[in-house]
Amino acid sequence: MEAARKRGRYGHRDSTMILLAYRHGLRASELCDLQWHQVEINTGRLHVRRSKKGTPSVHPMQGDEIRALRRLQREQEASPYVFTSERGGPMSAKSFGTLFERLGRRAGMPFTIFPHMLRHACGYALANAGHDTRALQAWLGHKNIQHTVRYTELAPDRFKNFWRD
């Protein structure tokens, strides 16, 4: 996100895209398809529509996300899409992938990074924070829990407090 902020005139948009993709476990296509009617800035809720037949949900947003979205709304041209390209249309998932890969190199990452890594990072972060598998499944929009267990089976505190008196 820091590398995105330093990138130039679209740095705020780019860092906000990374923040939302990570916090909400969004796929690149879900992020790029996000429209303003899905964002309730005043109540701090994000209506997440999942691709790949995933389960839609409503997520709470944190203060930094709300502030970033308010600023983005003020600074960019009016559009139904939250994240727009230089020409004012919706950012494409492919363009976001290219941008994210470039930002990874600029940030000094020793390997190539892809937007889907943000989704996985979200799953692992929430599992490591102690959230149960069913809640994680709902957050990520997985229809099948088998896609969710990969995050919880590696959580270091998985068995913490099992036999606590």
Side-chain angles (χ1 to χ4, degrees):
M1 286 177 53
E2 190 60 37
R5 278 189 207 101
K6 293 177 180 177
R7 185 174 171 264
R9 60 185 171 159
Y10 300 109
H12 177 71
R13 178 203 63 191
D14 300 345
S15 66
T16 303
M17 290 180 84
I18 294 167
L19 177 64
L20 261 63
Y22 170 71
R23 286 267 177 83
H24 301 281
L26 300 175
R27 294 176 179 91
S29 62
E30 296 165 348
L31 179 71
C32 293
D33 290 341
L34 191 64
Q35 295 185 30
W36 283 112
H37 70 83
Q38 294 171 255
V39 179
E40 293 181 36
I41 289 182
N42 294 332
T43 58
R45 294 189 302 202
L46 180 68
H47 295 263
V48 179
R49 286 189 320 220
R50 296 292 183 182
S51 60
K52 297 179 76 172
K53 299 182 183 178
T55 307
S57 58
V58 180
H59 291 186
M61 290 189 294
Q62 302 298 310
D64 58 345
E65 296 170 76
I66 295 168
R67 287 186 297 277
L69 287 167
R70 276 196 175 121
R71 178 179 165 191
L72 191 64
Q73 204 170 36
R74 280 191 314 269
E75 293 178 356
Q76 87 182 8
E77 298 284 328
S79 169
Y81 291 92
V82 176
F83 302 109
T84 57
S85 68
E86 198 168 351
R87 294 185 176 176
M91 170 82 76
S92 72
K94 185 175 187 225
S95 295
F96 178 62
T98 303
L99 166 74
F100 192 67
E101 186 178 336
R102 192 175 326 118
L103 289 171
R105 284 194 305 272
R106 186 169 291 142
M109 299 297 288
F111 49 85
T112 303
I113 62 169
F114 304 97
H116 204 74
M117 291 174 166
L118 294 169
R119 182 170 166 80
H120 290 308
C122 173
Y124 286 117
L126 293 174
N128 288 338
H131 296 284
D132 67 89
T133 308
R134 287 288 178 189
L136 193 53
Q137 177 186 14
W139 187 264
L140 294 173
H142 290 154
K143 284 251 191 228
N144 187 335
I145 200 162
Q146 287 180 310
H147 297 132
T148 311
V149 296
R150 74 171 70 165
Y151 303 113
T152 54
E153 66 191 8
L154 294 177
D157 295 332
R158 181 177 174 194
F159 299 121
K160 187 178 181 181
N161 299 326
F162 260 38
W163 290 100
R164 189 171 63 148
D165 291 337

